[in-house]
Amino acid sequence: MLWIFWIENIIYVTAAIIALALGLLVLRTGLQHGLNRAFALFALTDAIWATCAFIYRLALWTKQGNPWFWLEASVLGLALMPPTIMLFTAHYIERRAARTKLAIIIGFLLIAALTVPLFNHHIVLEPSLTENNITTFGSTWLFYASAVPIALVYMGWSGWTLWRERRQRGSAYLAASVFIILGGIILGGVLRSVLPLPILSFTTLISILLLGYGVLSRQILNPLRELTSELERRVAERTQELEEANRKLAEQSAELTSATQRAERRAAQVTTGAEIARAATTVLDPDHLIANIVQLIQERFNCYYTGLFLIDAENRFAVLHYGIGVGSASQAGRIMKERGHKLKIGGQSMIGWACANRQARIALDVGQDAVRFANPLTPDIRSELALPLRAGERLVGALTIQSAQTAAFDQDDIAALQGMTDQVAIALENARLFTQTQQVMKELEQANRLLVRERWQEYTARAEESYKAEFRPDNIKITTGELPHILRLPLEQSGQKIGTLVMERGGEQPWSSEEAQTIQTIVQQAVLAADNARLFEESQRLAARERLINEITARIRGSVTLDGVLNSAVKEISLVTGSAYAAIDLEIAE
């Protein structure tokens, strides 16, 4: 079977010549392209492998030289093929990722490590020609444990990657060449003892032809594609730069939007504060003022729930006075108000903590805040802001502002809203004082009315007949019954009715409202004059009584003996009071 020997030699020589020719041809298109350099490196390793394998066979046949050296040199060239094919593939598909570069470097380092035992005859052993003129050699386990896995991994990745890019011109030929040489290494190298045919050399020759055709079709036969590829690369770079610029622009836009939102939020806070101050000056009823304030905050800040608490009389609990929410918390305020919802000051709640420390507190994520009261009526709460209501040194209550978004508040919100809540506290305190003042005034008016009624009752009770004044003009005939037009007006002093004015008029003209108002004004003046007359008579009566008491006292003091003093006292008292009998008995109590 000498013909097999020479056919294999011819194949090796042809493969070496074709590999060198293709490498030089590709290099002429330009060394600036990484793809050209990668293919030239692969062609060089293929030429080294084919040339050394040819010389190795001639050395064995002629029994001249050192066939062992040429065998191991050809094995080295064959071992360099997988990482060089991977390098070529990475440049061809323009996917030079970091992990791909790392894998290529590792492959070359492994080949470099194999060269250490290579020339010490530790990998291939006993090269020789069989009786059929077939070259053979032995090998250690290290050869199969290193070279074969490297070839499978690197060439398998390259073939599969090129096959996926088969739409590009020449990629299908490249993928086929990689799979062919991989199959040749497996069949011709591992199974050489079973199949004594030049499979490896033949498959390598076909592979280099297909690989060269794929490269030439891209680099020489289709230069426009290379130009297009370069343009695409530049477009990709410009696109990446544009995307980076767009990303920075988007970040700046997001920052501007965030700043705008913060400014709008601060403007809303200032506006709400002004509206609260205006409400504080116009609404004096505490209940209405609290409702207005809570509704303003809820609407302006689009809160999930807002509630206002007031401190009880014992300063132990913060009691919910008014609350309003949206969504799942729409009925929370009404239900909690009906239940008398209250939180202990200093207890496990945001409101309790804020009241105890008189400081604001933020819970950016209520699920992670240890100081918080979990309320089932507000299940969607994600962040909360609790603010104390301080009017000077007095703690009025606290305000809770809740949001369905996480981290909805910040320290700027505390600075802005705390001033607003202090205004709320002052307004509530003023409303409370105004209500107390109004209550005191009502009590004073009630007491004054009682005093007026008692004084007039005492005054009229002393009269022998009731006080009544009537008048009828002489030119009007007295008729029986009432005239058709009657006007009745009350006589009032300090809200207490002390009499009634009745006026009758005949004819067809009824009493007008203007006449009624005029008469009412005159009547009020008459009431004041009557009260002044009553006070004058009362003062005259008191002055006369005081003079009488002084005269009787003077006459009693005119006696110098006890019997005379007692007799004078009995006599004077009887004369003044009109008594029929009077006596004084001195009795000393034991």
Side-chain angles (χ1 to χ4, degrees):
M1 301 182 69
L2 186 61
W3 60 273
I4 297 177
F5 174 78
W6 289 109
I7 289 176
E8 190 170 15
N9 286 337
I10 293 172
I11 292 174
Y12 280 127
V13 173
T14 304
I17 294 173
I18 292 175
L20 288 174
L22 288 174
L24 293 174
L25 186 61
V26 169
L27 287 177
R28 287 187 61 185
T29 62
L31 286 173
Q32 69 274 14
H33 300 295
L35 178 64
N36 294 350
R37 295 193 298 270
F39 179 78
L41 180 61
F42 170 74
L44 178 62
T45 58
D46 190 277
I48 292 173
W49 165 76
T51 302
C52 293
F54 171 71
I55 297 174
Y56 154 66
R57 280 160 177 74
L58 287 179
L60 286 177
W61 188 63
T62 61
K63 297 182 181 180
Q64 299 294 326
N66 186 1
W68 211 323
F69 172 80
W70 297 108
L71 171 62
E72 295 190 341
S74 67
V75 170
L76 175 60
L78 182 64
L80 286 172
M81 286 186 187
T84 54
I85 288 178
M86 188 177 202
L87 177 62
F88 166 77
T89 302
H91 282 279
Y92 189 86
I93 63 174
E94 298 179 352
R95 188 184 298 172
R96 295 180 290 277
R99 57 178 180 272
T100 304
K101 294 180 180 179
L102 180 61
I104 294 171
I105 293 172
I106 292 174
F108 281 115
L109 291 177
L110 290 175
I111 300 304
L114 290 175
T115 60
V116 176
L118 183 66
F119 293 100
N120 292 326
H121 316 298
H122 290 165
I123 290 182
V124 293
L125 304 172
E126 301 175 359
S128 62
L129 285 174
T130 65
E131 57 183 9
N132 296 326
N133 292 318
I134 300 298
T135 59
T136 183
F137 55 87
S139 60
T140 64
W141 63 270
L142 184 61
F143 175 78
Y144 296 103
S146 57
V148 175
I150 291 175
L152 289 174
V153 172
Y154 285 70
M155 289 187 172
W157 180 88
S158 300
W160 172 249
T161 303
L162 290 169
W163 178 253
R164 287 190 304 176
E165 303 292 333
R166 59 185 180 275
R167 292 183 179 180
Q168 298 185 19
R169 185 173 181 180
S171 295
Y173 298 103
L174 298 178
S177 67
V178 174
F179 286 127
I180 288 173
I181 194 172
L182 181 60
I185 291 174
I186 296 174
L187 296 177
V190 179
L191 303 179
R192 184 176 180 84
S193 60
V194 180
L195 299 173
L197 296 174
I199 298 175
L200 178 59
S201 58
F202 183 71
T203 56
T204 305
L205 176 60
I206 296 176
S207 175
I208 192 65
L209 290 173
L210 291 175
L211 199 62
Y213 175 76
V215 174
L216 292 175
S217 64
R218 175 171 175 173
Q219 299 295 93
I220 298 177
L221 301 179
N222 191 13
L224 182 60
R225 182 174 184 83
E226 177 66 18
L227 179 59
T228 304
S229 177
E230 180 66 18
L231 291 176
E232 290 177 352
R233 183 184 64 79
R234 293 182 180 180
V235 170
E237 292 177 354
R238 298 298 182 271
T239 303
Q240 185 176 1
E241 293 176 358
L242 182 60
E243 291 177 351
E244 181 68 18
N246 290 336
R247 184 185 63 80
K248 292 182 179 178
L249 182 61
E251 291 178 354
Q252 293 176 355
S253 178
E255 293 177 358
L256 180 61
T257 302
S258 178
T260 303
Q261 291 176 350
R262 289 195 298 269
E264 291 177 351
R265 189 179 183 89
R266 298 299 172 261
Q269 291 171 352
V270 172
T271 303
T272 305
E275 292 179 353
I276 289 175
R278 184 164 52 252
T281 58
T282 56
V283 181
L284 297 177
D285 181 66
D287 294 336
H288 291 169
L289 179 60
I290 290 174
N292 289 345
I293 290 171
V294 173
Q295 290 174 1
L296 278 174
I297 295 174
Q298 176 72 17
E299 293 173 359
R300 296 297 183 270
F301 299 112
N302 194 22
C303 303
Y304 171 65
Y305 175 80
T306 306
L308 192 145
F309 293 75
L310 296 179
I311 305 301
D312 63 357
E314 299 178 353
N315 290 327
R316 293 182 56 195
F317 292 95
V319 183
L320 178 66
H321 197 81
Y322 190 82
I324 186 173
V326 296
S328 57
S330 59
Q331 300 297 323
R334 179 184 60 80
I335 295 175
M336 287 189 288
K337 180 67 179 300
E338 293 175 352
R339 294 177 179 177
H341 179 64
K342 60 183 180 181
L343 297 172
K344 186 177 181 180
I345 297 177
Q348 292 297 316
S349 66
M350 296 280 291
I351 292 296
W353 190 95
C355 291
N357 296 274
R358 299 197 176 192
Q359 296 180 6
R361 185 181 180 93
I362 292 180
L364 299 179
D365 187 350
V366 295
Q368 299 179 1
D369 199 301
V371 182
R372 181 182 173 271
F373 171 75
N375 195 332
L377 295 175
T378 55
D380 296 332
I381 176 178
R382 294 296 177 269
S383 54
E384 181 179 1
L385 176 61
L387 298 159
L389 302 179
R390 304 169 303 193
E393 297 297 327
R394 186 173 182 274
L395 181 66
V396 178
L399 181 70
T400 175
I401 303 176
Q402 302 175 7
S403 174
Q405 299 178 356
T406 304
F409 309 104
D410 55 24
Q411 294 298 327
D412 292 337
D413 291 323
I414 291 182
L417 295 175
Q418 187 61 69
M420 183 180 66
T421 54
D422 289 342
Q423 286 184 350
V424 172
I426 294 173
L428 291 176
E429 185 68 8
N430 291 338
R432 183 184 66 84
L433 294 176
F434 176 78
T435 303
Q436 290 181 352
T437 303
Q438 291 295 101
Q439 183 65 29
V440 171
M441 291 180 63
K442 289 180 181 179
E443 293 176 355
L444 290 175
E445 289 177 357
Q446 181 67 21
N448 194 21
R449 285 196 300 269
L450 293 175
L451 180 61
V452 169
R453 184 175 61 184
E454 291 176 358
R455 293 291 174 85
W456 278 104
Q457 286 178 346
E458 292 177 358
Y459 182 78
T460 55
R462 288 193 298 269
E464 298 180 357
E465 58 182 11
S466 61
Y467 286 91
K468 186 176 182 180
E470 292 183 348
F471 173 75
R472 285 184 182 274
D474 297 336
N475 59 349
I476 297 178
K477 296 181 179 181
I478 300 176
T479 59
T480 59
E482 296 179 345
L483 295 176
H485 304 296
I486 302 175
L487 176 64
R488 286 185 173 87
L489 295 176
L491 278 67
E492 293 182 348
Q493 182 184 359
S494 300
Q496 176 63 44
K497 183 179 179 181
I498 61 175
T500 305
L501 170 66
V502 180
M503 300 186 71
E504 299 178 3
R505 183 165 64 184
E508 298 180 357
Q509 184 66 30
W511 297 100
S512 65
S513 59
E514 184 177 357
E515 291 176 326
Q517 292 178 359
T518 302
I519 296 172
Q520 182 68 56
T521 302
I522 297 172
V523 166
Q524 288 299 117
Q525 296 299 322
V527 169
L528 292 177
D531 188 60
N532 290 334
R534 178 187 65 80
L535 292 176
F536 179 76
E537 293 181 6
E538 186 73 16
S539 62
Q540 292 289 85
R541 184 181 64 82
L542 293 177
R545 187 181 67 175
E546 187 68 22
R547 287 194 300 271
L548 178 61
I549 293 173
N550 291 334
E551 292 175 358
I552 294 174
T553 303
R555 287 194 291 269
I556 292 174
R557 290 177 178 176
S559 300
V560 295
T561 63
L562 178 60
D563 185 58
V565 170
L566 295 178
N567 287 327
S568 296
V570 170
K571 177 182 178 182
E572 294 297 334
I573 293 172
S574 297
L575 293 175
V576 171
T577 60
S579 174
Y581 173 77
I584 295 178
D585 293 330
L586 293 178
E587 295 181 1
I588 308 302
E590 296 180 359

